[in-house]
């Protein structure tokens, strides 16, 4: 067969296209282990939905995996983990890449789109205790206990909420972090996303889930995203059935909020969203690095999920997401909600807080 795509001849003589899913190489590296688990889970769902499709998994290493010893907020480039996988997508070496949505920038490079956002796992952050502290919580840990996190968002909120505790960077992938926690005496506890811990099979290490009053989550946290070539209509249609409408609407409002703030992964921005009936609620906040300055607000909008889907044949993209099987008026409302909330915070001085946070972090 000619052309960029590979085909396979079935036993019955039919010729069908081979769909390749890119993932990060599974060296001893745990972030890529998570990537592999996430890819396999989406591959499993696709195989159930399309038993006749030939799915292949292609593993490659990325720059992000090679410099894991640097805190993510210092690497600076949000698309670090995704760039090499996108190159492979562009070269037609793979057709589908699965990511944690929270690692995908709010503007994707031209030619790429998020063709599916799957049902969100628990989006909250979780406390993982040193075994010697079993039974304790962030409230009951001894004063000056050291908590490991290199997320500016987590540190900012938790410093304010638990001033008796101390916060220090912890580097490395998930495996390394758990090892550093358990085998040394440097940290009393570390903070990680509940969703990642669950996918890695470490749910039993979660001692406390942090609610919004303690720590709001990152934009897109807990949701998986399927990235594809924007022009590949066949693949777009194939993966679109994976979209989970409530999650799509929540994440579009969150991403629109972050985009309008011009935030990246190196600024302390946090959100909380809920869909109740036909209402979408978005709480968003920006923080100074020590959490002392905080601007936070909640807004809501009606999202008519049961509405007709995109009337026009034209592809409609919202903050990088193509969801032609979700009501376009609901998608517009979700995106506007995020922008409106960001504008409200910008009017109150969010830009100054973020600019200062960015400068201080760069200088560290
Ligand atoms: C982003 C952040 C972190 C990841 C920043 C933040 C945490 C970095 C750190 C944007 N990406 O959350 O404020 O702790 O040093 C990441 C994880 C997952 C996806 C791991 C985690 C799994 C959860 C998910 C790293 N990206 O946050 O504990 O799929 O949402």
């Amino acid at each position: 067969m000619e052309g960029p795509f590979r085909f396979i001849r079935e036993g019955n003589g039919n010729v069908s296209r081979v769909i390749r899913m890119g993932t990060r190489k599974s060296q001893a590296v745990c972030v890529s282990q998570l990537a592999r688990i996430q890819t396999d889970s989406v591959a499993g769902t696709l195989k159930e939905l399309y038993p006749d499709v030939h799915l292949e998994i292609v593993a490659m290493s990325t720059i992000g995996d090679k410099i894991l010893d640097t805190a993510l907020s210092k690497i600076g480039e949000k698309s670090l983990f995704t760039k090499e996988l996108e190159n492979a997508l562009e070269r037609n070496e793979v057709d589908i890449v699965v990511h944690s949505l929270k690692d995908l920038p709010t503007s994707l490079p031209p030619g790429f789109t998020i063709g599916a956002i799957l049902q969100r796992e628990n989006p909250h952050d979780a406390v993982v205790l040193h075994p010697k502290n079993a039974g304790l919580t962030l409230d009951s840990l001894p004063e000056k206990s050291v908590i490991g996190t290199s997320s500016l968002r987590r540190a900012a909120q938790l410093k304010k909420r638990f001033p008796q505790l101390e916060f220090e960077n912890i580097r490395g992938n998930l495996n390394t972090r758990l090892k550093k926690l358990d085998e040394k005496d440097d940290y009393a506890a570390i903070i990680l996303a509940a969703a990642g811990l669950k996918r890695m099979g470490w749910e039993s290490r979660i001692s406390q889930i942090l609610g919004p009053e303690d720590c709001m989550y990152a934009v897109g946290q807990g949701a998986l995203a399927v990235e594809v070539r924007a022009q590949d209509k066949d693949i777009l249609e194939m993966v679109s059935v994976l979209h989970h409408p409530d999650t799509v609407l929540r994440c579009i409002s969150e991403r629109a909020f972050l985009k309008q703030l011009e935030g990246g992964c190196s600024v302390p921005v946090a959100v909380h969203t809920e869909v109740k009936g036909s209402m979408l609620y978005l709480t968003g906040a920006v923080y100074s690095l020590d959490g002392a300055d905080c601007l936070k607000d909640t807004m809501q909008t009606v999202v008519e999920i049961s509405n007709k889907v995109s009337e026009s044949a034209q592809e409609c993209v919202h903050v990088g997401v193509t969801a032609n099987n979700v009501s376009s008026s609901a998608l517009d409302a979700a995106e506007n909600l995020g922008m409106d909330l960001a504008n409200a915070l910008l009017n109150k001085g969010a830009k100054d807080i973020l600019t200062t946070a960015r400068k201080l972090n760069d200088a560290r």
Side-chain angles (χ1 to χ4, degrees), residues 34 38 72 78 100 102-103 149-151 153-154 170 174 177 191-193 195-196 199 218 220-223 265:
L34 180 62
Q38 295 180 164
L72 197 60
K78 173 121 190 186
S100 285
K102 87 160 166 173
D103 294 327
T149 178
S150 40
S151 153
R153 172 187 61 81
R154 289 171 184 148
I170 179 163
L174 298 186
R177 288 188 197 195
I191 314 291
L192 292 169
R199 291 189 202 115
Q221 186 163 312
C265 68

Side-chain angles (χ1 to χ4, degrees), residues 219-266:
V219 166
Q221 186 163 312
L224 293 185
V226 176
E227 190 181 20
V228 299
R229 288 178 293 274
Q231 298 310 318
D232 198 337
K233 302 282 176 264
D234 292 348
I235 300 278
L236 254 178
E237 197 184 315
M238 176 180 165
V239 301
S240 68
V241 299
L242 300 172
H243 269 307
H244 182 257
D246 278 12
T247 306
V248 171
L249 293 171
R250 290 171 65 185
C251 291
I252 282 179
S253 74
E254 295 171 16
R255 286 169 61 79
F257 173 68
L258 184 63
K259 183 174 186 183
Q260 190 74 0
L261 288 173
E262 295 175 52
C265 68
S266 40

Side-chain angles (χ1 to χ4, degrees), residues 132-152:
K132 73 175 181 206
N133 294 319
L136 298 183
T137 64
L138 292 186
D139 268 316
S140 59
L141 277 170
E143 246 178 70
K144 300 216 182 304
S145 290
V146 175
I147 312 299
T149 178
S150 40
S151 153
L152 304 181

Side-chain angles (χ1 to χ4, degrees), residues 67-292:
I67 46 170
L68 271 170
D69 256 7
T70 313
L72 197 60
S73 61
K74 298 289 277 183
I75 298 172
E77 195 182 348
K78 173 121 190 186
S79 52
L80 192 70
F81 292 115
T82 63
K83 191 174 242 162
E84 276 159 87
L85 292 170
E86 273 171 354
N87 288 344
L89 257 185
E90 189 164 37
R91 293 191 299 258
N92 290 312
E93 290 167 12
V94 300
D95 307 301
I96 291 176
V97 180
V98 177
H99 305 273
S100 285
L101 181 61
K102 87 160 166 173
D103 294 327
L104 279 182
T106 51
S107 300
L108 298 185
F112 303 105
T113 190
I114 297 169
I117 298 180
L118 283 77
Q119 182 163 16
R120 196 173 217 172
E121 287 272 357
N122 184 340
H124 296 100
D125 290 321
V127 179
V128 180
L129 289 170
H130 189 288
K132 73 175 181 206
N133 294 319
L136 298 183
T137 64
L138 292 186
D139 268 316
S140 59
L141 277 170
E143 246 178 70
K144 300 216 182 304
S145 290
V146 175
I147 312 299
T149 178
S150 40
S151 153
L152 304 181
R153 172 187 61 81
R154 289 171 184 148
Q157 295 181 81
L158 295 174
K159 277 176 187 169
K160 183 74 195 300
R161 171 72 181 75
F162 302 97
Q164 76 281 14
L165 301 176
E166 295 190 349
F167 293 86
E168 277 178 21
N169 263 332
I170 179 163
R171 295 171 171 206
N173 56 65
L174 298 186
N175 262 335
T176 314
R177 288 188 197 195
L178 282 180
K179 240 182 147 166
K180 279 184 183 168
L181 173 70
D182 290 349
E183 292 172 10
K184 295 190 180 181
D185 219 7
D186 297 350
Y187 306 98
I190 59 176
I191 314 291
L192 292 169
L197 286 163
K198 180 166 181 209
R199 291 189 202 115
M200 293 293 292
W202 295 331
E203 214 179 359
S204 62
R205 290 301 307 266
I206 297 176
S207 64
Q208 186 182 356
I209 295 278
L210 297 173
E213 61 294 342
D214 289 333
C215 188
M216 296 204 298
Y217 42 84
V219 166
Q221 186 163 312
L224 293 185
V226 176
E227 190 181 20
V228 299
R229 288 178 293 274
Q231 298 310 318
D232 198 337
K233 302 282 176 264
D234 292 348
I235 300 278
L236 254 178
E237 197 184 315
M238 176 180 165
V239 301
S240 68
V241 299
L242 300 172
H243 269 307
H244 182 257
D246 278 12
T247 306
V248 171
L249 293 171
R250 290 171 65 185
C251 291
I252 282 179
S253 74
E254 295 171 16
R255 286 169 61 79
F257 173 68
L258 184 63
K259 183 174 186 183
Q260 190 74 0
L261 288 173
E262 295 175 52
C265 68
S266 40
V267 288
V269 170
V271 293
H272 181 85
T273 48
E274 270 177 277
V275 174
K276 285 187 202 156
S278 58
M279 295 303 288
L280 170 64
Y281 298 83
L282 167 67
T283 300
V286 305
Y287 306 89
S288 59
L289 291 186
D290 61 1

